[in-house]
Amino acid sequence: MSIMNATLLSYNSRDCVVTFEAYQDLMKEMAEFGFLDVYHNIVLPLGEGVYRMQMRGMPCDRGRLEKAKADRLTEMSRLREELKPLGNLIDSDDYNPNSNPQTAAVLRSFGYHSGRTTEKGALRSDKLEIVGALLRTASSDSAPLFQKIVDYRSASKDYGTFLKPIEPWPDGCVRARFLTTARTGRLQSRKWSTPWGCGPEFQNLPDDLRYVFCAPPGWVFINADAVQLELVIMANEAGVTKWLDAIARGESIHVVNMMGVMGVTYGQAIE
């Protein structure tokens, strides 16, 4: 036990030293480039706020959650039964719309597959191939049939990626990880599995599934969007007069940039 403690102590100590050294180097670089003000007044407060948001969690209505799960499973069952005859085209007793190889074979039988093969000669069934072939069916007479494949795969993703993993914590809230480490500076959401519960990627949650979450008693949800936040920060930090004037007029910075690059009027740019 003492050996284990010594090993852990040594490992943790090295970890702390490396982290501190990296901190010192980064602080020097930020000072050199004039980023310390941004770091202390924007980045750090944002990180603290995001952490509080993550730990507060989102109240979940278990009844709505179970209904959403049941609805998706019912839809998947119905669509799979309707698509079952497609198995005859690929000599299979059970066609699974989620199977890329089987779906690729079905698409080839209808003439929508590109015909590309792998190095081993098998029909290509990667995501790019499947999505491209399904898009080619959109204007065909068989579009309704292939739309069912798309609907099944969508419902399956909703259930498997977003609904099935949700497990509220003992306090009834669902918590996911929120990160501020993206190169673009944008907020990221990640699935978070803990011994107390599991939460999905909140940011990618489809709109029609968000009703499983509810505001705490005495609170309401509001919808707000920090439009062009990065550009607004850049405009203020760099003092870009043209951008700041556009913001004051309630115009899009992207449109203003397009006007300058393409040489068009505001009316032409927004058409």
Side-chain angles (χ1 to χ4, degrees), residues 61-72:
D61 186 312
R62 285 185 177 271
R64 294 179 183 177
L65 175 61
E66 295 306 318
K67 183 180 185 303
K69 289 181 179 180
D71 288 346
R72 284 301 188 274

Side-chain angles (χ1 to χ4, degrees), residues 7 15 24 48 54 62 80 93 111 115 122 124 127-128 168 175 214 218 244 254:
T7 301
D15 192 34
Q24 288 182 312
E48 294 171 0
Q54 174 176 302
R62 285 185 177 271
R80 186 156 184 173
D93 295 331
R124 276 204 175 275
K127 183 177 180 180
L128 181 62
R175 293 172 174 84
C214 54
L244 292 172
H254 295 300

Side-chain angles (χ1 to χ4, degrees), residues 21-32:
E21 291 177 346
Y23 167 79
Q24 288 182 312
D25 290 340
L26 288 173
M27 293 299 287
K28 290 179 181 178
E29 289 187 19
M30 285 192 290
E32 179 182 347

Side-chain angles (χ1 to χ4, degrees), residues 217-232:
W219 295 76
V220 295
F221 283 132
I222 62 170
N223 185 17
D225 185 14
V227 180
Q228 304 176 115
L229 179 60
E230 297 92 340
L231 294 179
V232 172

Side-chain angles (χ1 to χ4, degrees), residues 168-184:
W169 286 36
D171 63 358
C173 290
V174 174
R175 293 172 174 84
R177 295 182 64 203
F178 288 100
L179 308 176
T180 59
T181 54
R183 292 178 64 88
T184 60

Side-chain angles (χ1 to χ4, degrees), residues 19-252:
T19 301
F20 180 69
E21 291 177 346
Y23 167 79
Q24 288 182 312
D25 290 340
L26 288 173
M27 293 299 287
K28 290 179 181 178
E29 289 187 19
M30 285 192 290
E32 179 182 347
F33 290 101
F35 288 158
L36 283 178
D37 184 61
V38 174
Y39 175 72
H40 287 294
N41 295 314
I42 296 178
V43 176
L44 282 184
L46 173 63
E48 294 171 0
V50 168
Y51 176 75
R52 289 197 301 270
M53 176 176 67
Q54 174 176 302
M55 296 312 299
R56 177 172 293 175
M58 184 75 72
C60 178
D61 186 312
R62 285 185 177 271
R64 294 179 183 177
L65 175 61
E66 295 306 318
K67 183 180 185 303
K69 289 181 179 180
D71 288 346
R72 284 301 188 274
L73 289 174
T74 299
E75 182 182 8
M76 290 166 60
S77 178
R78 174 183 63 80
L79 290 169
R80 186 156 184 173
E81 188 64 28
E82 294 176 359
L83 292 168
K84 192 173 183 179
L86 291 179
N88 298 327
L89 299 176
I90 56 175
D91 298 323
S92 174
D93 295 331
D94 185 23
Y95 167 59
N96 179 6
N98 268 342
S99 168
N100 281 354
Q102 286 190 335
T103 300
V106 169
L107 288 163
R108 181 177 62 176
S109 68
F110 279 84
Y112 294 113
H113 193 278
S114 68
R116 295 185 306 136
T117 58
T118 64
E119 294 179 355
K120 296 183 179 180
L123 203 62
R124 276 204 175 275
S125 58
D126 54 90
K127 183 177 180 180
L128 181 62
E129 176 64 51
I130 297 300
V131 172
L134 287 172
L135 286 174
R136 288 192 287 274
T137 70
S139 59
S140 68
D141 294 336
S142 53
L145 174 64
F146 286 99
Q147 184 59 48
K148 292 181 180 180
I149 297 178
V150 174
D151 291 343
Y152 180 92
R153 293 165 76 98
S154 176
S156 177
K157 180 178 180 180
D158 286 350
Y159 178 78
T161 303
F162 299 112
L163 293 173
K164 186 178 180 181
I166 293 179
E167 181 57 44
W169 286 36
D171 63 358
C173 290
V174 174
R175 293 172 174 84
R177 295 182 64 203
F178 288 100
L179 308 176
T180 59
T181 54
R183 292 178 64 88
T184 60
R186 288 182 175 271
L187 189 66
Q188 291 180 309
S189 176
R190 290 289 182 269
K191 177 182 175 182
W192 194 24
S193 296
T194 74
W196 308 280
C198 180
E201 298 180 18
F202 276 133
Q203 288 175 302
N204 295 326
L205 195 68
D207 290 343
D208 62 337
L209 296 183
R210 296 183 180 186
Y211 78 99
V212 304
F213 299 103
C214 54
W219 295 76
V220 295
F221 283 132
I222 62 170
N223 185 17
D225 185 14
V227 180
Q228 304 176 115
L229 179 60
E230 297 92 340
L231 294 179
V232 172
I233 293 175
M234 288 174 60
N236 281 276
E237 290 295 321
V240 183
T241 304
K242 184 177 293 186
W243 286 6
L244 292 172
D245 291 343
I247 295 170
R249 294 193 301 268
E251 297 175 357
S252 168

